[in-house]
Amino acid sequence: MWNVLLSFSGLVALIQLLFLPFFPESPSYLLLQKGDKAGCLKAMKQLWGEGNYHTEFDDLMKEKAVTKGTKIMNVLEVLKEPSIYPQLSTMLLLLLSLQLCGLKIFQTANLQESIIPYVSLGVAISELISIIFCSSIIDRFGRRILLWGGYLLMALILVLLETSLLLSDQFLWMRYCSVILIFLFIIAYGIGP
């Protein structure tokens, strides 16, 4: 019944994709990254209803003043920072442990047992690439575009993955399409949601 579970996550992604255009950008993103004070206040009113948000706005302005002199670091600079090594180690351990989850999908795709560990390693590499790529482009495009694009890609990939898994018994090459689609799904998830 794993394919039903996989379809359920696709349904949730589709629902989020449909409702995402109706939500504004994050007020903190609008103020801190874009410098849009009016847009920040408008987003607060849209998210929280009518009211007085001067306290929250003042807190964001203080945060902007504090971070004004702070240099925004790129991915390589962050990786060189010794203070994040415990968090980085935890994240890497989590990524490595997730590799055990994909074995069932690869077995269902009728892949040879001998290549499944290499495919799982490819999944880990895909996750790492998507995390690095997303962290380097999120400031340029904003969360909304990445979420929207990520959910749209995930929905499309899930439809193609279900189709390729259904046809994998009839066409041997579809097994490899399934693996490629899983890699693409992981990359789309890492870039978007």
Side-chain angles (χ1 to χ4, degrees), residues 56-180:
E56 291 85 359
F57 187 76
D58 291 340
D59 289 342
L60 286 175
M61 289 299 288
K62 288 175 189 174
E63 184 178 343
K64 184 176 182 177
V66 167
T67 59
K68 187 174 184 177
T70 306
K71 179 185 176 245
I72 297 176
M73 300 187 324
N74 63 29
V75 176
L76 290 176
E77 292 171 337
V78 170
L79 291 176
K80 291 177 184 177
E81 181 63 38
S83 64
I84 65 138
Y85 288 160
Q87 296 90 342
L88 186 62
S89 301
T90 304
M91 184 183 74
L92 288 176
L93 183 63
L94 178 64
L95 286 174
L96 292 175
S97 66
L98 284 174
Q99 299 320 299
L100 300 174
C101 299
L103 293 177
K104 180 64 178 168
I105 293 175
F106 299 137
Q107 289 170 344
T108 305
N110 295 324
L111 292 176
Q112 296 172 351
E113 291 287 329
S114 60
I115 66 168
I116 288 178
Y118 299 108
V119 174
S120 293
L121 181 63
V123 168
I125 292 169
S126 298
E127 290 171 351
L128 189 61
I129 288 170
S130 66
I131 289 168
I132 292 171
F133 184 67
C134 179
S135 63
S136 63
I137 65 169
I138 195 165
D139 288 334
R140 180 178 299 159
F141 295 107
R143 289 181 181 95
R144 181 180 221 172
I145 291 174
L146 292 181
L147 280 171
W148 216 91
Y151 281 129
L152 188 62
L153 280 174
M154 286 170 55
L156 176 67
I157 291 169
L158 284 175
V159 169
L160 294 173
L161 179 62
E162 185 67 26
T163 305
S164 70
L165 287 173
L166 290 173
L167 297 175
S168 66
D169 290 333
Q170 296 172 343
F171 304 104
L172 293 178
W173 56 272
M174 280 296 216
R175 299 173 183 177
Y176 300 103
C177 287
S178 299
V179 171
I180 292 169

